[in-house]
Amino acid sequence: MTAVVENASDQDFARLADPYRRELYAHCYRMLGSVHDAEDLVQETYLRAWKGFDRFEGRSSLRTWLHRIATTACLTALERRRRRPLPTGLGGPSAPDGELADRPEVPWLEPVPDALVGADDPGAVVAARESVRLALVAALQYLPAKQRAVLILRDVLRFSAAEVADVLDTSVPAVNSLLQRARAHLAREAPTEEAVSEPPPGQGEVLARYVEAFEAYDIPAITELFTADAVFEMPPYTTWVRGGRDIGRLISTHCPASGPGDMVLLPTRANGQPAFAVYMRGGDGVHRAFGLQVLDPVPEGIAHTVMFFDTSLFPHFGLAPSL
C-alpha cells in the first residue's frame, strides 16, 4: 500500500478512495443529522485526504484513515452546532386545532435518501434501515459528540476498539468506556429491535390506501390509517399531535388543501423507511413541492409520520420542484 501511495496520482487517489464515499456520507449523516452538513463534510474529508495522500504511510487501512479525517471534521463541526431534534424532542403534544408554533431558527433533524446510504455502506449489510432510521438518528443527537462517534464506529461500522482508538487518537480503555456509556444512554432513547424490524405484512396495501386518502383529501380515511397512539410531527413547527383523531383534526385545520386533487404524493425512500414527496396545487393549477413525509408503518397501521416542510431537501431525493 505504501508503495502505491508514494507514486499516487490524482487518479490513484480517486480509484482508492471513491469506494468509501457512500460509507463516509452515511457516517457524517449519523453524526450530524443533516444531509446538507453531511455533504459538506464529505467534500471536506476528500479535500483533506487528497492534500495529505502523499503523506499517508499505510500504517492503518485507507478506510480507517478516511474515517479518522471525517470523524475529526464532524467533531469540530459539532463544537459549534447545536443538536438536531425533532419536535417530539422539545415538548409534549399540542392541541390539533391550535396555532402552529413555527421555529425556523432551530437546526432540525433532516431525512436522508436511501439512495445516498445504500449498499456501499457497511451498515447496510445487516442493518441499513435501522442504522439511519429517524428515531435512531434523533436519539444519537442526544449523545455527547465523542460517545456518538464511538457508538457509530463500533456498533454500526464495526471498527475494532483499537481502530476506533486510532481514529479518535485515544486509548482502547477510553473507547470501551465511551461505548459503554453511549449504549446505556441509547438504550433509554432509541427504538427497540422489534420496532425497527422487517416491514410489516400488508405494508404495500396500507401505503396505497395512505396515498389514496391524502390525494382524495379524505380526512376520515386518513384518520383510520393511523394507530391509536400514532405521532404526527412537522418541523419547522414544534407542534405535534398524538392519535389518529387528533392527526385528522390537525390536517383538516391547517392543511391548505381543500379537496381531491389538491395533493399529489410521489413515493420515495428515506432513512430506510417509506416516504412520500407531497406536491400541493396552487391557484394556477400547478402542483409544487410542499413537503416530504417519512412514515413508520407497523402491523396496526401508521405509527409515526414526520412531515418535513423543507423543500430544499427535494433535490437530494432527485425530486422536481413542480409537477
Side-chain angles (χ1 to χ4, degrees):
M1 182 69 177
T2 306
V4 173
V5 172
E6 287 174 352
N7 300 294
S9 65
D10 290 350
Q11 288 184 338
D12 292 325
F13 173 76
R15 175 176 56 83
L16 294 169
D18 277 357
Y20 299 104
R21 188 175 292 272
R22 275 192 182 183
E23 177 181 331
L24 290 165
Y25 184 95
H27 177 55
C28 292
Y29 171 74
R30 295 183 190 103
M31 286 289 294
L32 302 168
S34 164
V35 291
H36 296 94
D37 290 352
E39 190 173 86
D40 291 343
L41 266 292
V42 169
Q43 291 181 1
E44 182 178 334
T45 295
Y46 273 83
L47 179 61
R48 290 184 185 181
W50 173 71
K51 288 181 176 179
F53 197 45
D54 60 339
R55 298 188 300 276
F56 174 60
E57 299 176 351
R59 285 194 294 265
S60 63
S61 70
L62 180 64
R63 179 181 179 232
T64 301
W65 184 66
L66 289 171
H67 273 282
R68 178 172 189 165
I69 297 171
T71 303
T72 300
C74 288
L75 291 173
T76 300
L78 288 169
E79 290 176 357
R80 56 182 184 273
R81 301 179 194 183
R82 293 178 288 166
R83 69 174 177 86
R84 289 182 172 270
L86 287 172
T88 44
L90 298 181
S94 312
D97 45 9
E99 185 176 351
L100 296 180
D102 188 5
R103 293 283 301 279
E105 77 281 2
V106 174
W108 296 103
L109 185 70
E110 297 173 354
V112 65
D114 279 13
L116 296 182
V117 289
D120 293 340
D121 170 26
V125 176
V126 176
R129 289 189 293 268
E130 288 81 349
S131 68
V132 291
R133 286 178 71 90
L134 278 176
L136 179 57
V137 178
L140 288 173
Q141 304 305 301
Y142 287 86
L143 294 176
K146 275 201 172 181
Q147 286 187 29
R148 194 184 313 177
V150 168
L151 186 85
I152 295 168
L153 291 167
R154 288 285 282 121
D155 285 359
V156 177
L157 295 171
R158 304 300 181 187
F159 278 88
S160 68
E163 288 172 321
V164 176
D166 179 54
V167 167
L168 297 177
D169 195 21
T170 188
S171 66
V172 169
V175 166
N176 291 334
S177 176
L178 287 166
L179 180 61
Q180 184 178 15
R181 281 179 281 159
R183 284 174 175 170
H185 187 106
L186 200 65
R188 298 190 298 268
E189 299 287 345
T192 63
E193 291 183 8
E194 290 78 9
V196 294
S197 57
E198 290 301 310
Q203 176 176 288
E205 180 185 348
V206 171
L207 296 178
R209 289 169 52 207
Y210 188 91
V211 172
E212 183 180 353
F214 269 87
E215 292 189 342
Y217 197 58
D218 185 341
I219 301 300
I222 291 172
T223 300
E224 290 177 5
L225 283 165
F226 287 94
T227 64
D229 59 351
V231 168
F232 194 97
E233 50 188 328
M234 314 173 297
Y237 300 101
T238 57
T239 301
W240 66 274
V241 298
R242 185 187 300 279
R245 186 174 179 180
D246 277 359
I247 292 171
R249 288 173 58 193
L250 175 75
I251 293 170
S252 63
T253 301
H254 296 289
C255 181
S258 58
D262 282 350
M263 283 186 283
V264 173
L265 274 64
L266 297 184
T268 184
R269 297 278 306 179
N271 295 80
Q273 300 167 239
F276 293 100
V278 181
Y279 291 82
M280 189 70 65
R281 182 162 56 190
D284 57 0
V286 176
H287 287 85
R288 293 183 175 83
F290 182 69
L292 189 72
Q293 293 185 351
V294 182
L295 280 60
D296 187 7
V298 295
E300 298 77 22
I302 304 299
H304 195 170
T305 292
V306 185
M307 175 73 169
F308 295 92
F309 285 109
D310 182 2
T311 56
S312 72
L313 294 167
F314 275 53
H316 292 275
F317 285 80
L319 295 163
S322 63
L323 299 180

